[in-house]
Amino acid sequence: MKLSDLAEGLNKPIHFEERPVSKELMLELLNIAVWAPNDGLREPWRFIYVDGQNSGILNRLQEPAPAYLLIVMQAEHDSHKQEEDFAAVSCLIQNFRLLAHERSLGVRWTLNEWTYDRKHAEAFMLQDDERIAAVLEVGHIAVHADVTSEKALQEPQLRFELL
Amino acid sequence: MNLSELIMARRSIRKCNALPVEQELVIELLRDAARLQPALDAGAWRVVYAGTPESSKQLVDYMLAQITQSKLGKLIPGKLLDVMKRRFTEIPAHVIVLSAQGTDRLTSDRNFAAVCGMMQSFQLLGWERGLGMIWDTESIIQNESFFKGIGIREDERFVGILHLGYFDKAPRGRKRTPAERKWTIWEGSTI
């Protein structure tokens, strides 16, 4: 199977089954996802798993999901390094998202205003030099009517210009 | 090669061979990468492409402008400068990626993250076709003359340059820290 073959499935809206997601499966996928490019092998990420049944404040801050994965990144003082790290973490998430999809796990990649709030960060015991780069809502994909969104059928528009 | 193998096999490639890269292939792979990123709107990113010897040379001049124009840079021997330039001009294609900042930090971060995800897919799709890339975000290139040269717009954020080409040899991978060691289970509020 070629990577581009995943596109059709990724274009469908994600609905979750209620059953939990095994932590072992998440770790298995994360261990492959960490092969993301990252400058100087800083590996500027760590993961907080939150069970959807006991999600605390996420209950009102996020959409319901069987499981959440908080992707926490090291916030370097150097703003340039911080951009590099944010990019590296985003590559890791993309790997995870693609791998999950192959195993019929849906991942909604979210970033919401509350993640900038230090009060909320403290609730998840983040260190002062850490920030939330994304909150992933994860669950088994419920079988649903085979609707392909209009967007999926369209040729993606590119803004491609020559130097 | 399945997806897991592909993700683990991909390397950053700094040295390409002389085989030319077709612009059509780059566009095809960018479209495929965009398709894997449905949340990414067309208006949220833009690519500036250098794929000819002339435009590569132009780009490298912009990249090194800061160095060559500085007092210290004037002391760099011409030969050394040529070596630095050749490192990049010998790479056949350069994809400069910019993301839209929007009106607030959240939009800017969302766009930036989604564009990075798209670029990772682009790197993987390229690897499937024998293309190697290095994602360049060197701080030394990020200055006004560079940004002016590539034509960055006021509302755009520089994400990186992917220098790409075919290659003869991939370096060995560097081991990653197991995810288990970077993993915490949140047990609920402790207060």
Side-chain angles (χ1 to χ4, degrees):
Chain A
M1 179 154 160
K2 279 179 30 233
L3 175 53
S4 49
D5 296 337
L6 290 181
E8 203 191 322
L10 281 166
N11 264 299
K12 290 175 185 153
I14 296 172
H15 301 288
F16 296 131
E17 284 181 14
E18 274 183 29
R19 69 185 160 115
V21 183
S22 103
K23 297 183 189 73
E24 290 70 29
L25 177 56
M26 290 245 234
L27 279 166
E28 183 192 331
L29 301 180
L30 281 173
N31 269 316
I32 302 162
V34 292
W35 284 87
N38 63 102
D39 191 67
L41 208 60
R42 289 202 288 278
E43 302 184 285
W45 46 67
R46 70 181 184 92
F47 319 107
I48 301 175
Y49 172 92
V50 181
D51 192 301
Q53 295 296 318
N54 176 31
S55 60
I57 54 168
L58 287 190
N59 193 22
R60 60 183 167 85
L61 298 171
Q62 296 284 137
E63 295 292 320
Y68 302 92
L69 205 53
L70 269 59
I71 313 288
V72 177
M73 82 178 230
Q74 195 71 38
E76 296 270 348
H77 290 300
D78 176 344
S79 66
H80 167 254
K81 276 206 171 112
Q82 215 177 110
E83 291 281 277
E84 285 183 343
D85 288 347
F86 191 27
V89 170
S90 301
C91 288
L92 173 140
I93 296 169
Q94 180 72 354
N95 285 345
F96 181 76
R97 206 181 137 248
L98 297 172
L99 289 161
H101 184 78
E102 207 187 34
R103 306 286 285 268
S104 297
L105 273 187
V107 175
R108 291 197 294 243
W109 179 350
T110 75
L111 182 65
N112 294 315
E113 197 70 48
W114 71 263
T115 57
Y116 298 131
D117 187 337
R118 289 317 295 177
K119 259 203 332 272
H120 289 321
E122 278 160 25
F124 293 102
M125 321 271 231
L126 261 62
Q127 305 291 311
D128 288 343
D129 60 349
E130 289 182 319
R131 60 178 261 212
I132 296 170
V135 178
L136 308 184
E137 299 170 351
V138 188
H140 293 274
I141 298 173
V143 183
H144 55 271
D146 194 23
V147 279
T148 309
S149 69
E150 289 226 352
K151 204 173 169 186
L153 299 169
Q154 286 166 6
E155 185 81 342
Q157 294 295 309
L158 276 197
R159 294 199 295 154
F160 184 93
E161 289 156 30
L162 299 178
L163 182 73
Chain B
M1 200 185 287
N2 69 32
L3 179 60
S4 306
E5 288 166 341
L6 175 62
I7 288 171
M8 292 197 285
R10 185 214 55 85
R11 298 283 174 272
S12 294
I13 299 295
R14 288 175 173 79
K15 197 164 168 41
C16 299
N17 62 32
L19 267 183
V21 175
E22 295 292 328
Q23 184 176 311
E24 288 69 31
L25 176 62
V26 173
I27 293 177
E28 180 194 329
L29 296 178
L30 281 170
R31 274 195 214 286
D32 284 345
R35 240 184 234 115
L36 292 167
Q37 209 70 25
L40 181 62
D41 286 326
W45 62 296
R46 186 167 72 94
V47 165
V48 179
Y49 182 68
T52 61
E54 297 73 36
S55 59
S56 294
K57 202 184 150 296
Q58 189 69 66
L59 173 64
V60 173
D61 283 342
Y62 295 145
M63 286 168 58
L64 296 180
Q66 170 101 328
I67 302 175
T68 51
Q69 287 163 11
S70 69
K71 270 190 197 149
L72 201 67
K74 299 224 166 47
L75 302 174
I76 300 177
K79 261 195 190 151
L80 180 61
L81 211 54
D82 284 344
V83 172
M84 288 163 80
K85 286 189 177 177
R86 230 179 303 133
R87 216 185 107 205
F88 293 106
T89 48
E90 279 176 356
I91 300 177
H94 314 266
V95 174
I96 305 164
V97 186
L98 310 161
S99 71
Q101 290 188 28
T103 48
D104 52 53
R105 178 182 175 191
L106 186 63
T107 310
S108 182
D109 281 351
R110 279 179 174 166
N111 287 346
F112 183 88
V115 169
C116 289
M118 182 282 299
M119 286 164 78
Q120 171 62 2
S121 299
F122 178 69
Q123 295 199 88
L124 295 172
L125 290 159
W127 194 265
E128 278 186 324
R129 309 286 278 264
L131 282 172
M133 313 189 191
I134 176 80
W135 184 323
D136 185 355
T137 49
E138 281 300 326
S139 57
I140 193 80
I141 66 170
Q142 296 191 43
N143 58 74
E144 239 171 86
S145 13
F146 169 72
F147 288 138
K148 196 164 165 254
I150 62 168
I152 198 168
R153 294 168 193 158
E154 211 164 280
D155 68 328
E156 287 179 328
R157 185 162 164 185
F158 175 73
V159 189
I161 309 177
L162 293 166
H163 304 284
L164 63 103
Y166 297 97
F167 57 94
D168 298 323
K169 215 174 147 227
R172 273 217 258 162
R174 293 186 295 170
K175 242 179 125 185
R176 264 53 172 179
T177 308
E180 287 81 354
R181 284 177 43 198
K182 290 175 164 274
W183 164 273
T184 324
I185 296 169
W186 192 70
E187 305 282 8
S189 179
T190 49
I191 306 160

